[in-house]
Amino acid sequence: MSWKSIQKENFTDIEELAAFLELPYAFPLLKKSKFPLNLPRRLALKISKNNLEDPILRQFLPIEDENRHSGYTDPVQDASFQKTSHLLHKYAGRMLIVTTGACAMNCRFCFRQNYEYSSGGDFSKELEILSQDETIEEVLLSGGDPLSLSNRRLRILLENLAKIPHVKRIRFHTRFPVGIPERIDGEFLTILEKCPQQIIFILHINLAEELDPDITSALKKIARLGIPILTQTVLLRGVNDSLEVLKKLFLTLVNNGLIPYYLHQLDPVQGAMHFEVLLHKELLEALHAELPGYALPRFVKEEPFAKGKTLL
Ligand code: SF4
């Protein structure tokens, strides 16, 4: 079955998901949301039945708490850094292409859930801006999730980036393989292999339980091409805000050849404030004491106009 067919099987109907997970009849469901339910079956199968507190479920189920607290629609001030609606220039030497608004899943804590995505396009304007700015050595492919693009569109984009001599690195930010590892198909691997620039993957993952052997084996196919895979985690209340859960996650990652890169404080986005938990000294010190250095991510938060991530 192709990844696109698998994606079509995602849960998008809350009643259907509630029945599948045997959720209690009267749960605090968010009836209307501009950011709809979107959950791959693979992840749904990892959720325990009749348990609203399940940490995977909490990341995807729209609940009333989203309307209880205020936050920002654009917490990291993307709008201030737009060169075009598809191109952001925030940090020195790097630009980020917002490739698409589509994702394999809709995470309730997503800081771009209110972004005004524009669809389609061949990124010609963005490629022209990139080619004219010789200070740019790295291009980040983000979104949404860049692996939502078809292989054809990704191939054309990477071929065009390969024509820009000062671009030395291309970084994919993705959560797609966590939901649909079948996305790492032969054609995609060939596209990566042919890319002359160094590619780096940043996998977004919040729990050890999100991983499984299909996912790690798909990621190993990428790693075999000489592509480093680092990971990024958001600290979320009721999901992974304990020493035990984070320790298990980071050790599981390194046991599978994945390097923990960032542990992020939540971006204060409207709709996700019930997930907020501040990174605190005791938790960071305990992680530091219990993990080998290579399993310890950098603890960071994003401050809108800082020159880089703020280390905590
Ligand atoms: S996969 Fe990433 S971009 Fe997509 S909804 Fe989740 S956090 Fe947002």
Side-chain angles (χ1 to χ4, degrees), residues 73-85:
T73 50
D74 182 7
V76 298
Q77 288 295 314
D78 275 342
S80 307
F81 300 97
Q82 278 183 332
K83 293 272 191 191
T84 73
S85 63

Side-chain angles (χ1 to χ4, degrees), residues 228-232 250 253-254 256-262 294-295 297:
I229 307 179
L230 313 177
T231 68
Q232 184 164 302
F250 300 140
L253 293 173
V254 294
N256 286 284
L258 306 165
I259 305 299
Y261 171 47
Y262 275 153
Y294 56 82

Side-chain angles (χ1 to χ4, degrees), residues 35 60 101-113 117 142-145 173-176 204 234:
F35 191 50
F60 301 102
C103 285
M105 62 198 86
N106 285 351
C107 314
R108 308 316 298 171
F109 52 86
C110 179
F111 74 91
R112 284 212 182 102
Q113 57 185 277
Y117 290 103
S142 181
D145 197 310
H173 274 261
T174 182
R175 188 152 162 70
F176 216 108
H204 296 212
V234 185

Side-chain angles (χ1 to χ4, degrees), residues 12-13 31 67 99 113 116-117 119 121 146 166 245 247 273:
T12 54
D13 181 283
K31 299 238 166 38
N67 283 342
T99 54
Q113 57 185 277
E116 298 287 336
Y117 290 103
S119 57
H166 51 267
V245 173
K247 194 176 147 189
M273 296 309 286

